Amino acid sequence: MSTNKVISELEQRVASLEAALVEARNYSGTWERIFKESYWGIMVCDAITDELIKVNICYAEMHGYSISELLGKTIYDVFAPEYHSDLPEIIHRIHDHGHHEYNSVHIRKDGSCFPVHTDSYEVTVDARRLRIVSVWDITESELKEKELCQYRESLEELVRSRTRELEHSNEQLRMEIIQRKAAENELAITNQRIINTMESISDGFININRQWIITFVNKAIVKVLVENGIHDNFIGTNFWEVYPHGNRKIIDDNCLKVMKEGQPKRFETFVTQIGQWLEISISPTESGISIFSRNIDERKKIEKAVEEEHQRLYSLFHSFPGLIYVQEDNHNIRFANSNFQAKFGPYEGKPCYEVIVGLNTPCSDCLHRIDTKDFKSRWKEVVFDNRFYEVYAQPFTDADGSRLVFKVLLDITERKNADRELARLERLNMVGEMAAGIAHEVRNPLTTVRGFLQLLTTKENTKQYQEFYELMIEELDRANFIISDFLSLAHDKTFDFELTNISEMVRNLFPLLAADALNQDKEIILELEQVPDVLGNINELRQLLLNITRNGLEAMPVGTILTIQTLRAEEDIILRVCDQGAGIDPVIFEKLGTPFMTTKDQGTGLGLAICQTIAVRHHAVISYESNSSGTTVTVKFQGVK
């Protein structure tokens, strides 16, 4: 073999060995990286001395040590003392089988213990026996197992409870069947008693089926008809044949209406054949109608005397400056003075809720039934036609025995406006007194947090979060400006204004707003147009947008979308925030922006008040539109050239 050939083969062999060396180094580096970056705690110890030779950062943090502090310790130093007696048996199994998994309890540097699952292997490297141990913290899994056991016990108890309830329901059903039979017997007895009662009363009573056949008449009716020359067996005969004379128009019309419409009728009529005033009540029944008639001659005489007294009172009521009306038990207005008629118009035969507030049914908070039942004087405030009224109600019994309510309405709108303005000024004065103390107490912890965040930005191992630290520092700085804004509710302050672009401001804040929305399982979308710059303070405008946006997010259910828009309308710039919440209560809607008015459990009621103050300083107007589909807040920056 020639020398050149030998040299060539040696060179190829050297190149092959170098490539193998590079591959081995890469392979070793890969395993070293897996060891260091693993989320499991990994440890290597001497199988003879149990001394820890190598640990990864996860293992060290799990036990509260640094890596250097653990090296040189033995496995007895990390096992809880009560498990030391188990270690010889565990080591023996690892040696015999080369691998063993088990659960135990480790101890941290601070002395606290935690449960772990351990997976151990024994290997021999360069004639040296080593154990490679992987450790998992199973604290959370044990808690979940305990919760599962508790859930199973609760489920078993629920099944037992439902079984007892079912047995109880069956017993109740059996008792109800017995009670129903007893009720049927009692009903038969009661029906007979009713018939006896109808026969004994002095009022007339007739029952008629839908074919206008009389099915029952009491003795009072028979006596009247016989006295007027009508002699016959009335039960089973046609009503129109038995009663062919009298005030047919009034009685016939009302009987027909009740039979057709199913609504009771009550009226009074003078019957010429017997020379009496009768009060007639016609009521629908399942089989037809029933008619009650009562002699009211004596009552009519009393009513005439009362009417004369009423006339004297009416003249006094008409001269009273308030709105006076008398209300019947059925809500109908019986009397109203001239001031009431001038305000609400005609009232005859109409209920109060129709005349005063234009409703078809009584108001939801109507106290009329309570007034007429308890006969106690009452007072409250009401609002209609954008005016405030004090309502004084005094129940009384009229001469005819009917229950009435005497009511007086006094317009107190001007007084309420003055009280509201005074309260607003008092709240603002209180804000001014609180502001200095709050600013001092809040700024101190903010300064401390900001200092620690700045310190974190200098750490080498946190550089990847530099952007987030800067954003948090920026938000802390903005919080300081918010405190200044809080002060501005009580004191006018001068700010440095500069040209600011509303659309650009929204884009810059979008990551922060989107993070808030994501945390709440909601979404924010932007619909931004190119708009001119406005003269303003960027920190105040950011605060304005954040307050409105976060209010919208809090009002929306999970899975909905909040939209932020910017556009130009002639010489104005519009910033609009549209949420998909349930809308704003109309009562609350009128008070939006009032300091300390809030619907949140932990709210201060200052958010929208500060927004209003910021808007005024920027020559902007905030308006609100709300319905059941959501709320839209519009900020219009006026007069932008």
Side-chain angles (χ1 to χ4, degrees):
M1 181 181 297
S2 65
T3 303
N4 291 337
K5 185 174 181 180
V6 171
I7 293 172
S8 176
E9 289 179 355
L10 289 174
E11 289 176 347
Q12 291 177 358
R13 187 174 180 183
V14 168
S16 175
L17 290 173
E18 290 177 347
L21 179 60
V22 170
E23 182 178 357
R25 288 175 177 170
N26 291 337
Y27 184 75
S28 176
T30 299
W31 282 104
E32 182 68 19
R33 184 176 179 184
I34 292 172
F35 179 82
K36 290 181 177 180
E37 298 180 5
S38 173
Y39 288 103
W40 307 333
I42 302 177
M43 173 271 288
V44 179
C45 71
D46 190 290
I48 303 301
T49 65
D50 296 326
E51 181 181 348
L52 276 62
I53 301 172
K54 190 172 184 178
V55 298
N56 68 351
I57 186 64
C58 182
Y59 188 91
E61 291 177 350
M62 186 184 301
H63 292 79
Y65 293 93
S66 65
I67 293 177
S68 60
E69 288 176 325
L70 283 173
L71 297 180
K73 291 183 179 294
T74 69
I75 59 176
Y76 286 88
D77 295 321
V78 296
F79 268 73
E82 60 268 26
Y83 282 83
H84 286 182
S85 60
D86 298 334
L87 278 175
E89 176 64 23
I90 293 172
I91 294 171
H92 180 72
R93 290 184 180 180
I94 297 172
H95 177 70
D96 288 349
H97 302 287
H99 168 255
H100 181 53
E101 290 187 50
Y102 57 94
N103 290 343
S104 62
V105 176
H106 281 198
I107 185 169
R108 298 187 181 93
K109 182 180 179 180
D110 60 6
S112 61
C113 296
F114 62 101
V116 297
H117 178 75
T118 305
D119 195 354
S120 300
Y121 292 85
E122 183 172 315
V123 297
T124 302
V125 178
D126 295 333
R128 185 178 184 182
R129 287 170 52 198
L130 303 175
R131 280 198 300 275
I132 302 172
V133 182
S134 298
V135 178
W136 293 266
D137 187 337
I138 59 173
T139 301
E140 185 176 351
S141 63
E142 287 193 351
L143 290 175
K144 290 183 178 179
E145 181 67 24
K146 184 181 293 185
E147 290 176 0
L148 181 60
C149 291
Q150 293 176 349
Y151 173 77
R152 287 172 177 168
E153 292 175 358
S154 299
L155 186 59
E156 291 173 356
E157 177 59 28
L158 180 61
V159 171
R160 290 192 294 269
S161 174
R162 291 293 182 268
T163 302
R164 289 193 297 268
E165 290 177 2
L166 183 59
E167 292 173 351
H168 179 67
S169 298
N170 289 336
E171 179 63 22
Q172 282 186 325
L173 181 59
R174 188 181 67 83
M175 293 301 297
E176 287 175 1
I177 293 173
I178 295 173
Q179 292 172 0
R180 183 175 179 179
K181 291 181 179 178
E184 290 175 352
N185 295 333
E186 184 66 26
L187 181 60
I189 297 172
T190 301
N191 286 338
Q192 185 58 47
R193 289 174 180 172
I194 291 174
I195 293 174
N196 295 338
T197 301
M198 290 298 178
E199 292 287 4
S200 64
I201 62 176
S202 59
D203 295 339
F205 176 77
I206 304 176
N207 195 68
I208 304 167
N209 66 17
R210 297 190 179 278
Q211 290 73 41
W212 297 101
I213 302 300
I214 298 174
T215 58
F216 178 82
V217 293
N218 70 345
K219 294 179 179 179
I221 288 290
V222 173
K223 180 180 178 181
V224 170
L225 294 177
V226 170
E227 289 176 351
N228 286 272
I230 303 175
H231 303 275
D232 207 340
N233 183 13
F234 306 112
I235 297 177
T237 59
N238 189 283
F239 172 72
W240 306 117
E241 296 177 357
V242 173
Y243 190 69
H245 306 291
N247 299 24
R248 290 292 299 271
K249 179 64 176 173
I250 297 176
I251 297 176
D252 289 3
D253 288 349
N254 283 283
C255 288
L256 291 169
K257 284 183 179 180
V258 174
M259 185 73 80
K260 179 180 179 181
E261 300 173 3
Q263 297 296 325
K265 296 289 183 180
R266 179 185 177 188
F267 57 93
E268 297 174 358
T269 183
F270 184 77
V271 182
T272 56
Q273 284 75 14
I274 61 177
Q276 295 178 352
W277 277 94
L278 296 181
E279 178 186 76
I280 297 179
S281 297
I282 307 175
S283 302
T285 63
E286 292 184 0
S287 59
I289 61 173
S290 60
I291 304 174
F292 274 95
S293 60
R294 173 176 295 177
N295 187 317
I296 57 172
D297 276 344
E298 189 63 28
R299 194 181 76 188
K300 282 294 183 178
K301 294 176 182 178
I302 296 173
E303 286 177 356
K304 184 177 180 181
V306 172
E307 183 65 24
E308 294 175 353
E309 185 65 25
H310 284 177
Q311 293 300 325
R312 289 191 290 272
L313 293 175
Y314 290 165
S315 61
L316 175 62
F317 293 154
H318 285 306
S319 63
F320 191 80
L323 309 179
I324 299 176
Y325 67 98
V326 177
Q327 186 176 343
E328 298 177 350
D329 190 38
N330 59 2
H331 297 275
N332 286 346
I333 298 174
R334 178 176 291 188
F335 165 80
N337 69 351
S338 56
N339 289 335
F340 184 95
Q341 296 180 56
K343 173 70 177 177
F344 299 112
Y347 66 88
E348 292 81 359
K350 297 179 181 179
C352 59
Y353 50 81
E354 178 181 334
V355 175
I356 299 176
V357 292
L359 298 177
N360 294 324
T361 57
C363 304
S364 58
D365 59 345
C366 181
L367 298 177
H368 179 62
R369 292 294 180 186
I370 300 176
D371 291 337
T372 56
K373 181 178 180 181
D374 293 348
F375 272 77
K376 295 180 180 179
S377 299
R378 296 185 182 274
W379 169 91
K380 71 172 183 175
E381 292 184 3
V382 297
V383 180
F384 48 83
D385 289 341
N386 297 319
R387 306 290 294 180
F388 290 91
Y389 290 87
E390 282 184 346
V391 181
Y392 296 89
Q394 176 61 59
F396 69 97
T397 302
D398 202 1
D400 60 2
S402 59
R403 292 180 173 182
L404 303 176
V405 181
F406 177 82
K407 291 189 176 182
V408 180
L409 280 70
L410 298 177
D411 191 331
I412 59 168
T413 304
E414 299 304 324
R415 190 184 78 190
K416 293 291 289 187
N417 291 338
D419 291 344
R420 188 186 300 113
E421 182 63 18
L422 179 60
R424 188 182 71 85
L425 293 175
E426 289 178 350
R427 287 195 295 269
L428 290 177
N429 181 60
M430 183 175 64
V431 170
E433 295 175 357
M434 294 169 54
I438 292 176
H440 174 75
E441 295 298 330
V442 174
R443 281 174 172 162
N444 284 342
L446 288 181
T447 303
T448 302
V449 174
R450 191 182 191 280
F452 276 105
L453 288 175
Q454 286 180 316
L455 179 63
L456 288 174
T457 60
T458 64
K459 300 294 184 180
E460 186 67 26
N461 58 349
T462 61
K463 284 189 174 181
Q464 56 181 324
Y465 306 113
Q466 186 79 17
E467 179 182 354
F468 299 117
Y469 291 143
E470 291 175 356
L471 181 59
M472 287 189 283
I473 291 173
E474 184 179 358
E475 285 304 301
L476 287 175
D477 291 338
R478 191 179 67 80
N480 273 314
F481 279 103
I482 291 174
I483 295 173
S484 299
D485 291 337
F486 183 80
L487 293 171
S488 71
L489 284 175
H491 304 285
D492 290 331
K493 296 185 66 177
T494 302
F495 292 89
D496 294 328
F497 280 58
E498 58 185 7
L499 289 177
T500 302
N501 190 278
I502 301 299
S503 295
E504 191 64 26
M505 177 194 70
V506 176
R507 290 192 186 94
N508 292 337
L509 281 179
F510 180 70
L512 178 63
L513 299 175
D516 283 349
L518 183 62
N519 288 336
Q520 303 176 38
D521 198 18
K522 301 167 188 175
E523 183 181 358
I524 295 180
I525 62 174
L526 303 181
E527 297 178 1
L528 308 179
E529 297 181 5
Q530 289 295 114
V531 297
D533 294 344
V534 299
L535 193 62
N537 182 279
I538 183 62
N539 291 305
E540 284 197 331
L541 294 176
R542 283 160 61 95
Q543 181 184 353
L544 173 71
L545 176 61
L546 285 171
N547 283 353
I548 295 174
T549 302
R550 284 170 176 164
N551 282 346
L553 287 173
E554 292 174 0
M556 299 194 310
V558 171
T560 50
I561 298 174
L562 183 138
T563 304
I564 303 177
Q565 302 172 337
T566 59
L567 63 146
R568 181 167 187 174
E570 299 180 354
E571 292 186 357
D572 301 330
I573 292 178
I574 305 298
L575 170 64
R576 185 174 292 138
V577 179
C578 309
D579 67 49
Q580 295 181 349
I584 302 173
D585 188 325
V587 176
I588 301 299
F589 193 89
E590 298 178 358
K591 302 179 182 179
L592 289 178
T594 302
F596 303 108
M597 196 288 299
T598 180
T599 58
K600 305 174 186 176
D601 292 339
Q602 303 298 325
T604 63
L606 292 174
L608 287 181
I610 292 175
C611 290
Q612 294 281 16
T613 304
I614 294 172
V616 170
R617 279 201 285 265
H618 288 78
H619 304 290
V621 177
I622 301 179
S623 59
Y624 308 88
E625 297 178 12
S626 183
N627 54 42
S628 58
S629 300
T631 300
T632 298
V633 182
T634 301
V635 184
K636 181 186 291 185
F637 297 88
Q638 300 175 326
V640 179
K641 302 297 183 182

